[in-house]
Amino acid sequence: MSVKISLKTCKFKDAKFLMNVYNSAVKGGFYNSTKMVVLKDHNKWLKLKLKSKSSKIYIGYKNKKKFGYVRFDKLKNNIFEVSIGNDTKFYGKKLGTAMLRISIKKFINRYKPKKITSTVKKSNIRSQRCFLINNFKLVKFNKKKHVGINKINT
Protein backbone atom coordinates (compact mmCIF):
# COMPACT_ATOMS: atom_id res chain seq x y z
CA MET A 1 0.00 0.00 0.00
CA SER A 2 1.46 3.38 -0.98
CA VAL A 3 1.59 6.28 1.43
CA LYS A 4 -0.43 9.29 0.38
CA ILE A 5 0.60 12.62 1.84
CA SER A 6 -1.74 15.56 1.43
CA LEU A 7 -2.18 19.05 2.82
CA LYS A 8 -5.28 20.88 3.90
CA THR A 9 -5.69 24.43 5.09
CA CYS A 10 -5.98 24.54 8.86
CA LYS A 11 -9.47 25.02 10.30
CA PHE A 12 -10.52 25.87 13.84
CA LYS A 13 -11.50 22.23 14.39
CA ASP A 14 -7.75 21.41 14.19
CA ALA A 15 -7.02 23.45 17.34
CA LYS A 16 -6.53 20.55 19.76
CA PHE A 17 -4.32 18.65 17.30
CA LEU A 18 -2.11 21.73 16.75
CA MET A 19 -1.85 22.38 20.48
CA ASN A 20 -0.90 18.76 21.22
CA VAL A 21 1.82 18.74 18.53
CA TYR A 22 3.15 22.07 19.79
CA ASN A 23 3.16 21.00 23.44
CA SER A 24 4.90 17.71 22.60
CA ALA A 25 7.65 19.63 20.81
CA VAL A 26 8.00 22.07 23.73
CA LYS A 27 8.23 19.14 26.14
CA GLY A 28 10.86 17.52 23.90
CA GLY A 29 12.91 20.72 23.85
CA PHE A 30 12.57 21.23 20.08
CA TYR A 31 11.13 24.77 20.17
CA ASN A 32 12.48 28.02 21.56
CA SER A 33 9.60 28.25 24.03
CA THR A 34 9.62 26.25 27.24
CA LYS A 35 6.00 27.09 28.07
CA MET A 36 3.21 24.63 27.34
CA VAL A 37 -0.04 26.19 26.12
CA VAL A 38 -3.54 25.54 27.41
CA LEU A 39 -6.50 25.08 25.07
CA LYS A 40 -8.28 28.31 26.01
CA ASP A 41 -5.21 30.45 25.18
CA HIS A 42 -4.41 28.37 22.12
CA ASN A 43 -7.95 28.79 20.76
CA LYS A 44 -7.68 32.60 21.04
CA TRP A 45 -4.30 32.55 19.28
CA LEU A 46 -5.57 30.23 16.52
CA LYS A 47 -8.67 32.35 15.83
CA LEU A 48 -6.39 35.35 15.24
CA LYS A 49 -4.02 33.34 13.01
CA LEU A 50 -6.85 31.95 10.90
CA LYS A 51 -8.27 35.45 10.33
CA SER A 52 -4.88 36.99 9.58
CA LYS A 53 -3.79 37.68 6.01
CA SER A 54 -0.20 37.43 7.25
CA SER A 55 -0.35 33.77 8.30
CA LYS A 56 -1.12 30.48 6.59
CA ILE A 57 -1.26 27.09 8.32
CA TYR A 58 -1.41 23.74 6.54
CA ILE A 59 -2.17 20.39 8.17
CA GLY A 60 -0.32 17.34 6.83
CA TYR A 61 -2.15 14.05 6.36
CA LYS A 62 -0.78 10.57 5.79
CA ASN A 63 -3.47 8.31 4.36
CA LYS A 64 -6.11 10.69 5.76
CA LYS A 65 -4.58 10.78 9.29
CA LYS A 66 -3.21 14.09 10.61
CA PHE A 67 0.50 13.95 11.31
CA GLY A 68 1.81 17.52 11.41
CA TYR A 69 1.55 21.16 10.45
CA VAL A 70 3.45 23.87 8.60
CA ARG A 71 2.87 27.53 9.43
CA PHE A 72 3.98 30.53 7.39
CA ASP A 73 4.05 33.98 9.04
CA LYS A 74 4.78 37.18 7.15
CA LEU A 75 7.66 39.15 8.66
CA LYS A 76 8.10 42.14 6.31
CA ASN A 77 8.65 42.96 2.64
CA ASN A 78 7.08 39.69 1.50
CA ILE A 79 9.52 37.65 3.61
CA PHE A 80 7.94 34.76 5.51
CA GLU A 81 9.07 32.63 8.42
CA VAL A 82 8.11 28.96 8.34
CA SER A 83 7.56 26.70 11.33
CA ILE A 84 6.94 22.96 11.25
CA GLY A 85 5.72 20.42 13.79
CA ASN A 86 4.97 16.69 13.72
CA ASP A 87 3.02 14.37 15.96
CA THR A 88 5.58 12.30 17.92
CA LYS A 89 4.06 9.06 16.55
CA PHE A 90 5.34 10.07 13.12
CA TYR A 91 8.92 11.09 14.01
CA GLY A 92 11.68 9.54 11.92
CA LYS A 93 9.48 8.64 8.96
CA LYS A 94 10.54 11.58 6.73
CA LEU A 95 6.95 12.79 6.60
CA GLY A 96 7.94 16.24 7.90
CA THR A 97 10.43 16.62 5.06
CA ALA A 98 7.77 15.70 2.49
CA MET A 99 5.15 17.91 4.16
CA LEU A 100 7.54 20.88 4.15
CA ARG A 101 8.38 20.33 0.46
CA ILE A 102 4.72 20.12 -0.59
CA SER A 103 3.67 23.08 1.55
CA ILE A 104 6.48 25.31 0.27
CA LYS A 105 5.57 24.54 -3.32
CA LYS A 106 1.91 25.26 -2.64
CA PHE A 107 2.72 28.43 -0.68
CA ILE A 108 5.12 29.80 -3.31
CA ASN A 109 2.63 29.20 -6.12
CA ARG A 110 -0.11 31.04 -4.25
CA TYR A 111 1.68 33.85 -2.37
CA LYS A 112 4.91 34.46 -4.35
CA PRO A 113 7.14 35.19 -1.32
CA LYS A 114 10.45 36.96 -1.83
CA LYS A 115 12.15 34.74 0.74
CA ILE A 116 11.25 32.06 3.28
CA THR A 117 13.27 31.81 6.46
CA SER A 118 13.27 29.75 9.63
CA THR A 119 15.11 29.57 12.93
CA VAL A 120 15.91 26.13 14.26
CA LYS A 121 17.48 25.14 17.55
CA LYS A 122 21.11 24.15 17.09
CA SER A 123 20.40 20.90 18.94
CA ASN A 124 17.46 19.99 16.66
CA ILE A 125 19.45 18.14 14.00
CA ARG A 126 16.35 16.38 12.60
CA SER A 127 14.67 19.70 11.86
CA GLN A 128 17.85 21.20 10.39
CA ARG A 129 18.13 18.20 8.07
CA CYS A 130 14.48 18.57 7.03
CA PHE A 131 15.09 22.17 5.97
CA LEU A 132 18.43 21.49 4.28
CA ILE A 133 16.90 18.64 2.23
CA ASN A 134 14.30 21.19 1.09
CA ASN A 135 17.00 23.50 -0.33
CA PHE A 136 17.26 25.88 2.60
CA LYS A 137 20.74 27.23 3.30
CA LEU A 138 22.39 27.55 6.66
CA VAL A 139 23.14 31.27 6.97
CA LYS A 140 24.20 32.06 10.51
CA PHE A 141 24.16 31.20 14.14
CA ASN A 142 22.10 33.80 15.96
CA LYS A 143 22.73 33.27 19.65
CA LYS A 144 24.47 30.14 20.83
CA LYS A 145 21.41 27.89 20.63
CA HIS A 146 19.87 28.69 17.24
CA VAL A 147 20.60 28.34 13.56
CA GLY A 148 19.18 30.65 10.91
CA ILE A 149 18.07 28.90 7.74
CA ASN A 150 16.90 30.63 4.56
CA LYS A 151 15.32 29.47 1.34
CA ILE A 152 16.69 32.21 -0.88
CA ASN A 153 15.58 31.13 -4.32
CA THR A 154 11.81 30.93 -4.07
Side-chain angles (χ1 to χ4, degrees):
M1 177 183 347
S2 68
V3 175
K4 175 144 175 65
I5 294 175
S6 60
L7 290 178
K8 293 183 181 176
T9 297
C10 180
K11 305 284 186 208
F12 189 73
K13 67 179 181 162
D14 299 311
K16 193 169 182 183
F17 170 77
L18 285 175
M19 184 193 71
N20 288 339
V21 170
Y22 178 84
N23 282 340
S24 291
V26 168
K27 188 176 178 183
F30 298 118
Y31 288 161
N32 299 330
S33 177
T34 57
K35 185 180 177 200
M36 306 277 269
V37 295
V38 295
L39 192 57
K40 181 180 175 186
D41 295 338
H42 180 70
N43 285 346
K44 279 200 283 189
W45 172 86
L46 184 58
K47 282 179 185 177
L48 292 173
K49 285 291 180 187
L50 293 176
K51 288 179 184 177
S52 173
K53 294 186 188 293
S54 297
S55 294
K56 182 69 177 174
I57 305 172
Y58 297 110
I59 303 294
Y61 290 81
K62 174 190 170 197
N63 295 332
K64 299 184 181 182
K65 179 150 178 63
K66 294 177 195 176
F67 71 86
Y69 70 86
V70 178
R71 187 181 85 231
F72 294 90
D73 290 307
K74 189 172 188 176
L75 300 175
K76 61 180 178 179
N77 300 328
N78 212 27
I79 297 171
F80 288 81
E81 182 171 44
V82 63
S83 175
I84 183 170
N86 286 335
D87 185 321
T88 56
K89 291 179 271 191
F90 295 95
Y91 282 1
K93 300 182 186 313
K94 300 185 180 173
L95 294 172
T97 301
M99 177 176 62
L100 182 61
R101 182 185 68 249
I102 295 165
S103 67
I104 286 172
K105 185 177 179 181
K106 187 173 188 169
F107 188 79
I108 288 172
N109 286 338
R110 176 122 192 242
Y111 297 98
K112 313 286 189 249
K114 182 174 163 184
K115 181 169 33 172
I116 299 172
T117 185
S118 188
T119 302
V120 178
K121 284 185 85 170
K122 189 176 178 182
S123 61
N124 193 346
I125 302 301
R126 185 184 303 141
S127 184
Q128 288 179 40
R129 200 172 313 137
C130 172
F131 282 97
L132 293 172
I133 288 169
N134 278 290
N135 299 315
F136 279 69
K137 304 292 181 232
L138 191 62
V139 289
K140 65 180 176 180
F141 292 97
N142 60 349
K143 301 183 186 176
K144 294 180 181 177
K145 296 181 185 175
H146 303 95
V147 176
I149 297 180
N150 286 337
K151 184 167 185 69
I152 296 165
N153 299 321
T154 61

